[in-house]
């Protein structure tokens, strides 16, 4: 995701990577050149152009068509923006809920450890339980973000990239052979894709394990390349706290049928969710948490799962195909008509080429924006940074997992010394 200063317009205008405007310059230039050629032809052979296009006698028809295309594009872009923003909102919600649940459990375990100050065995058991909770939460986050970035929309786009589809702009001729060879694979149904994995999305993601007590900073140096915006989410490594055990790895491995062929994708997120619920039961039992208080941890974890499933809706359910197909038809037909329409009703060669270029790049850029936003979890630089969000969550797990509440001030002298330190800090800051 690009972070930019919206007050610095010059730098934003010159940014090429992540821009939809620069992608559509070639086709817009072609339309502008065609309009310029028609305008020159009109000045010399006006009667021939009028004979070829006798149906364009008044701009009202063209204005009506342009309004219809603009309305369809703007409505699609608006719906795509709603999908994008809802996906971002649900991702932040699920991490907030999971962080609340983990922090509450750590506080219960730390309190139980203080009460068992004389029992080293129980203290070690509580610390192991805390490490295992951090491990399960990190694996839950990694599997959840991996699932979002490998949803049905990303899988069908990965198929197009695998088979060399280049249908954007002027490269449609390069894709005709791929369309012919992979006709049924480029458009599919959810029922078929549930068992048909041609992109490796069902495989268990690769993990990089670190320890909860590791003090090394900079998690991004472990798993993210230097050019973070250009990495592929399809093969990226995910940071977790502690290694997966053989039993955990076996439970999370993809299911197969009797002949060894791929079956359906196991619901790994709910599997880890169930493991966490069992771990919560053990924590409540060993720390003697009252049931009304312990239920809050379950509730926060469940609320995070609800937000995850709402985000999963954006990763799996596409924009309605009939409307998307209609918009693609309209924008291409309108693009073919623009040079003729502009050349007939515009006076001046320069203005004719400029208007044709401006109208074309505006329409195609709106269409490109809607494509970018409809799948918030794709590999584009403008999408939600799920990998970065996961690593920030792991950093939170390490920070909270190692933290303990400082001791209270035991006397008035200690309180006065603390107040003096705070006053000195404020004065230094000012």
């Amino acid at each position: 995701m690009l972070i930019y200063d919206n007050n610095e317009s010059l730098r934003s205008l010159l940014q090429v990577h992540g821009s939809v405007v620069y992608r559509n310059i070639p086709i817009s230039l072609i339309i502008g050149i065609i309009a310029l050629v028609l305008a020159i032809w009109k000045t010399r052979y006006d009667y021939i152009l009028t004979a070829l296009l006798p149906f364009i006698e008044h701009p009202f028809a063209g204005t009506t068509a342009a309004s219809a295309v603009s309305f369809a594009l703007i409505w699609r872009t608006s719906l795509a923006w709603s999908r994008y923003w809802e996906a971002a909102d649900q991702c932040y919600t699920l991490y907030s809920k999971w962080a609340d649940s983990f922090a509450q459990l750590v506080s219960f375990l730390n309190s139980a450890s203080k009460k068992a100050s004389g029992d080293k065995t129980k203290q070690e058991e509580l610390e192991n339980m805390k490490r295992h909770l951090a491990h399960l939460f990190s694996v839950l986050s990694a599997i959840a973000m991996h699932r979002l970035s490998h949803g049905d929309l990303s899988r069908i786009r990965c198929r197009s990239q695998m088979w060399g589809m280049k249908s954007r702009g002027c490269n449609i001729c390069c894709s005709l052979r791929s369309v012919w060879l992979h006709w049924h694979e480029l458009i599919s149904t959810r029922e078929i894709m549930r068992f048909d994995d041609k992109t490796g999305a069902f495989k268990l993601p690769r993990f990089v394990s670190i320890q909860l007590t590791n003090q090394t900073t900079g998690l991004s140096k472990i798993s993210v390349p230097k050019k973070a915006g250009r990495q592929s989410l399809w093969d990226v490594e995910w940071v977790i706290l502690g290694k997966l055990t053989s039993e955990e790895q076996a439970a999370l491995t993809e299911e197969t049928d009797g002949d060894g062929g791929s079956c359906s994708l196991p619901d790994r997120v709910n599997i880890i969710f169930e493991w966490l619920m069992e771990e919560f039961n053990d924590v409540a039992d060993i720390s003697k948490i009252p049931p009304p208080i312990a239920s809050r941890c379950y509730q926060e974890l469940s609320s995070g799962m609800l937000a995850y499933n709402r985000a999963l809706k954006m990763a799996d359910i596409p924009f309605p195909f009939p409307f998307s197909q209609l918009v693609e038809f309209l924008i291409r037909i309108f693009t073919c008509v623009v040079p003729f329409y502009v050349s007939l009703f515009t006076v001046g060669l320069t203005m004719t080429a400029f208007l044709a270029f401006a109208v074309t790049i505006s329409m195609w850029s709106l269409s490109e924006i809607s494509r970018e936003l409809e799948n918030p979890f794709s590999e584009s630089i403008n999408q939600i940074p799920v990998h970065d969000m996961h690593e920030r969550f792991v950093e939170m797990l390490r920070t909270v997992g190692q933290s303990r509440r400082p001791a209270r001030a035991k006397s008035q002298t200690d309180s006065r010394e603390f107040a003096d330190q705070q006053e000195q800090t404020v004065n230094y800051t000012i």
Side-chain angles (χ1 to χ4, degrees):
M1 176 180 287
L2 292 176
I3 306 298
Y4 62 96
D5 180 11
N6 58 3
N7 292 324
E8 186 57 47
S9 58
L10 180 60
R11 179 63 182 89
S12 300
L13 287 173
L14 298 178
Q15 175 68 22
V16 177
H17 182 54
S19 171
V20 298
V21 176
Y22 290 101
R23 297 181 206 169
N24 298 301
I25 285 181
I27 188 173
S28 302
L29 283 176
I30 292 175
I31 298 301
I33 293 172
I34 293 175
L36 179 61
V37 171
L38 290 174
I40 296 174
W41 194 21
K42 175 186 174 183
T43 58
R44 297 185 179 183
Y45 308 102
D46 184 43
Y47 64 95
I48 298 178
L49 190 62
T50 305
L52 291 175
L53 302 171
F55 55 93
I56 304 180
E57 296 180 356
H58 194 277
F60 177 75
T63 304
T64 304
S67 300
V69 177
S70 301
F71 175 78
L73 282 173
I74 293 173
W75 190 47
R76 180 182 181 182
T77 306
S78 176
L79 293 179
W81 165 249
S82 299
R83 288 170 58 91
Y84 181 89
W85 189 250
E86 183 178 355
D89 180 62
Q90 298 303 330
C91 285
Y92 274 93
T93 299
L94 73 88
Y95 275 127
S96 174
K97 297 298 183 181
W98 289 348
D100 289 347
S101 181
F102 178 74
Q104 292 172 23
L105 291 169
V106 169
S107 68
F108 296 146
L109 291 174
N110 287 341
S111 298
S113 179
K114 290 180 180 179
K115 294 177 181 178
S117 57
D119 191 347
K120 299 296 182 181
T121 303
K122 186 174 182 179
Q123 283 187 330
E124 182 64 25
E125 182 182 2
L126 292 171
E127 288 298 319
N128 289 334
M129 188 171 292
K130 184 164 60 174
R131 284 193 291 266
H132 190 57
L133 277 172
H135 166 72
L136 289 180
F137 269 103
S138 66
V139 176
L140 175 65
S141 172
I143 294 295
M145 294 300 105
H146 177 270
R147 175 66 179 86
L148 290 178
S149 62
H150 291 66
D152 290 347
L153 301 186
S154 298
R155 289 170 59 199
I156 203 70
R157 178 171 294 184
C158 185
R159 290 187 184 187
S160 299
Q161 295 173 351
M162 287 170 52
W163 294 318
M165 291 296 296
K166 299 178 180 179
S167 59
R168 292 182 178 179
C170 306
N171 298 322
I172 189 171
C173 296
C174 302
S175 303
L176 293 178
R177 185 172 181 273
S178 297
V179 171
W180 176 259
L181 294 176
H182 309 286
W183 179 266
H184 296 288
E185 286 82 3
L186 293 174
I187 295 181
S188 184
T189 63
R190 287 205 70 200
E191 292 79 7
I192 295 177
M193 294 188 67
R194 178 185 173 191
F195 302 98
D196 187 14
D197 180 28
K198 289 181 169 59
T199 58
F202 288 4
K203 295 180 180 179
L204 190 67
R206 295 184 300 161
F207 297 111
V208 174
S209 62
I210 60 174
Q211 298 302 318
L212 178 65
T213 56
N214 189 358
Q215 299 295 332
T216 304
T217 59
L219 284 175
S220 59
K221 297 180 181 179
I222 297 176
S223 61
V224 181
K226 292 182 179 179
K227 295 183 179 179
R230 299 176 185 266
Q231 67 172 334
S232 173
L233 281 175
W234 216 254
D235 300 319
V236 75
E237 295 177 331
W238 301 84
V239 177
I240 60 173
L241 296 174
K243 294 183 179 180
L244 285 178
T245 64
S246 57
E247 292 83 2
E248 291 173 341
Q249 190 165 359
L252 298 175
T253 305
E254 63 178 308
E255 299 176 357
T256 57
D257 55 23
D259 299 327
S262 178
C263 189
S264 62
L265 175 66
D267 196 345
R268 298 186 178 115
V269 176
N270 279 300
I271 291 175
I272 303 173
F273 173 68
E274 192 273 333
W275 294 349
L276 276 169
M277 298 292 280
E278 290 189 19
E279 196 70 17
F280 283 14
N281 296 336
D282 295 340
V283 171
D285 181 63
I286 195 172
S287 60
K288 307 301 181 182
I289 310 173
I293 304 300
S295 64
R296 183 67 179 176
C297 300
Y298 295 94
Q299 181 181 353
E300 293 298 296
L301 181 64
S302 179
S303 298
M305 289 297 297
L306 176 61
Y308 161 75
N309 282 282
R310 287 177 174 172
L312 189 62
K313 173 181 62 177
M314 307 301 166
D316 286 349
I317 306 299
F319 192 82
F321 173 76
F323 188 82
S324 179
Q325 185 185 49
L326 174 63
V327 171
E328 297 299 331
F329 267 114
L330 289 177
I331 192 174
R332 281 161 175 78
I333 293 174
F334 183 77
T335 302
C336 294
V337 173
V338 161
F340 299 95
Y341 182 82
V342 174
S343 63
L344 284 177
F345 294 101
T346 305
V347 179
L349 300 181
T350 304
M351 187 57 65
T352 298
F354 176 76
L355 286 179
F357 173 84
V359 171
T360 304
I361 200 171
S362 300
M363 293 293 184
W364 281 85
S365 295
L366 280 175
S367 179
E368 193 74 16
I369 289 172
S370 64
R371 292 195 195 103
E372 289 270 344
L373 299 182
E374 282 169 11
N375 182 11
F377 304 107
S378 66
E379 294 186 6
S380 171
I381 186 61
N382 296 310
Q383 307 310 322
I384 299 174
V386 293
H387 192 253
D388 177 73
M389 295 174 72
H390 162 71
E391 292 194 336
R392 290 171 185 264
F393 180 71
V394 174
E395 288 180 341
M396 184 281 303
L397 294 176
R398 295 174 66 195
T399 302
V400 176
Q402 299 176 70
S403 66
R404 288 183 179 274
R405 179 178 58 83
R408 302 186 188 94
K410 298 181 180 179
S411 64
Q412 187 176 1
T413 304
D414 294 337
S415 301
R416 188 179 301 110
E417 291 178 355
F418 177 76
D420 293 340
Q421 293 176 1
Q422 291 295 103
E423 184 178 355
Q424 293 176 4
T425 302
V426 172
N427 294 333
Y428 178 76
T429 304
I430 294 175

